[in-house]
Amino acid sequence: QVQLVESGGGLVQVGGSLTLSCSASESIAEIFSMAWFRRPPGKEREWVASTTNYGTYDYSESVRGRFTIRKDNYKNTLTLQMDRLRPDDTATYYCVSQPGTAQALYGPGTQVTVAS
């Protein structure tokens, strides 16, 4: 089964930008849906954004207009461009294949900290 590894997390100032990447161990072209989730400190994991091979892009209300998800079937990567970051974006971010299904797989996560 595919293995996912996130990268690109770090410390950023309020209003700054980060790009998270998720590298897959094999082709993701046939994976219909992929997503980013996050777990803020002390809180439950929450959905951030998802995309499908139909070319659909969906975002949670808290990130819509600031984050952009992209799936590159040639590079086998999923990215999350995060702009205008806020302190409440601080979380561990996870790449997920086939979210919401019994076959859902999560990467180990990457930490994003937004300092005010």
Side-chain angles (χ1 to χ4, degrees):
Q1 61 185 16
V2 65
Q3 295 185 358
L4 306 171
V5 178
E6 304 90 343
S7 63
L11 175 65
V12 63
Q13 297 296 313
V14 168
S17 298
L18 277 177
T19 300
L20 304 184
S21 293
C22 172
S23 296
S25 60
E26 56 189 61
S27 174
I28 61 172
E30 298 303 316
I31 298 176
F32 176 74
S33 176
M34 296 190 73
W36 287 94
F37 279 68
R38 67 186 182 187
R39 185 189 296 276
K43 298 184 179 181
E44 297 292 317
R45 187 164 54 197
E46 61 186 29
W47 168 72
V48 175
S50 57
T51 183
T52 72
N53 282 351
Y54 286 157
T56 62
Y57 304 91
D58 294 294
Y59 301 91
S60 68
E61 186 172 352
S62 65
V63 308
R64 190 175 298 121
R66 300 187 298 121
F67 290 12
T68 304
I69 187 172
R70 285 289 182 267
K71 182 174 181 271
D72 189 326
N73 290 332
Y74 295 100
K75 295 182 179 179
N76 295 325
T77 58
L78 182 75
T79 61
L80 184 69
Q81 173 68 41
M82 307 186 295
D83 298 316
R84 303 196 303 278
L85 284 160
R86 310 183 311 211
D88 60 355
D89 294 318
T90 294
T92 302
Y93 284 73
Y94 301 91
C95 171
V96 188
S97 67
Q98 305 182 79
T101 71
Q103 294 75 36
L105 292 174
Y106 286 76
T110 186
Q111 178 66 37
V112 172
T113 302
V114 184
S116 56

